[in-house]
Amino acid sequence: MGNRSSLLLREEEISQLQQDTGFTSNQIERLYSRFTSLDRGDYGSLSREDFLRIPEIAINPLGERIVNSFFEGDTGDRVNFRQFLSVLAHFRPVKKNKENKNNSREQKLQFAFKMYDLDNDNMITREELLAILHMMVGANIGEEQLSSIAERTILEADEDGDQKISFEEFCKALQRTDVEQKMSIRFLS
Ligand SMILES: [Ca+2]
Ligand SMILES: [Ca+2]
């Protein structure tokens, strides 16, 4: 077992993380203690199982997709604190005039789009929409109704008539909705 005190963040690390993610140093320290408490066995990194112990993720219908987003790119099968923070930054509520590169509206839309784009081909199909709807509402709504919701969503968003939603179409469709609020998940208690 490692010594927890040796895992404390250094000042210069905190200020670098502040710049990269837009969290305050206070938030970073709280998230760090959250991180270490999720890190069973003091590895200095988190596994998928560790993530699923976060209640907000465990109960979120898109929880598995959210967890996957932590493991994208070159992270391998464990996520260190820096990687952890930069993904969490996508869910940080945006204050006016305080946007940074990890949670601008554009970034949040990208992140949301990727949630829906299950096969990562940069297009959302009717099937993908339906699959996400299934995950979100489960058995509460009948199959027929789900299909018609997916159908209607494609119809409304699809401008070039290829039956798929591109990122551009996705952004236009969401133009009037408050993405920042919808994408804000409270990780800080
Ligand atoms: Ca796709
Ligand atoms: Ca289209």
Side-chain angles (χ1 to χ4, degrees):
M1 293 292 271
N3 180 356
R4 294 240 158 169
S5 62
S6 69
L7 293 171
L8 286 176
L9 285 178
R10 290 197 310 271
E11 287 291 324
E12 58 268 35
E13 287 177 297
I14 293 180
S15 65
Q16 185 59 49
L17 290 169
Q18 258 181 283
Q19 269 179 30
D20 292 349
T21 64
F23 287 114
T24 66
S25 64
N26 193 13
Q27 288 174 322
I28 290 173
E29 282 175 36
R30 279 156 66 202
L31 286 169
Y32 190 67
S33 83
R34 187 89 188 256
F35 179 85
T36 51
S37 70
L38 289 168
D39 178 20
R40 299 268 167 95
D42 285 350
Y43 291 104
S45 59
L46 304 180
S47 66
R48 282 173 192 272
E49 293 68 43
D50 291 331
F51 276 99
L52 291 169
R53 276 198 292 275
I54 301 174
E56 292 90 331
I57 285 183
I59 63 163
N60 193 307
L62 290 177
E64 215 175 313
R65 298 285 297 158
I66 293 173
V67 172
N68 282 343
S69 69
F70 283 92
F71 292 90
E72 259 163 25
D74 51 3
T75 55
D77 55 2
R78 301 199 61 96
V79 170
N80 66 28
F81 184 59
R82 176 176 294 276
Q83 293 158 340
F84 177 70
L85 268 196
S86 73
V87 177
L88 287 190
H90 291 298
F91 297 101
R92 195 171 63 81
V94 182
K95 288 203 188 89
K96 285 260 178 294
N97 307 321
K98 270 201 157 180
E99 294 203 343
N100 75 355
K101 65 183 163 89
N102 271 329
N103 75 335
S104 66
R105 183 182 170 89
E106 168 91 13
Q107 287 273 320
K108 279 184 198 243
L109 285 167
Q110 285 270 10
F111 194 80
F113 185 81
K114 280 166 71 180
M115 287 277 174
Y116 285 94
D117 182 18
L118 298 170
D119 65 358
N120 293 319
D121 70 346
N122 294 316
M123 285 289 178
I124 299 172
T125 61
R126 194 180 164 282
E127 289 67 35
E128 286 169 328
L129 257 181
L130 204 51
I132 295 291
L133 285 170
H134 268 289
M135 286 188 233
M136 297 207 284
V137 299
N140 297 328
I141 297 184
E143 190 62 39
E144 215 166 282
Q145 215 174 336
L146 284 184
S147 292
S148 93
I149 294 172
E151 195 64 54
R152 193 151 19 97
T153 308
I154 297 275
L155 216 64
E156 281 170 9
D158 182 24
E159 294 199 324
D160 62 5
D162 66 352
Q163 306 288 314
K164 298 170 191 167
I165 305 175
S166 65
F167 181 61
E168 212 186 354
E169 289 167 338
F170 183 77
C171 291
K172 280 191 187 163
L174 289 179
Q175 224 152 38
R176 285 172 308 275
T177 66
D178 192 352
V179 180
E180 283 86 351
Q181 286 309 314
K182 288 213 176 91
M183 286 288 292
S184 296
I185 293 179
R186 293 182 65 87
F187 279 96
L188 292 165
S189 41

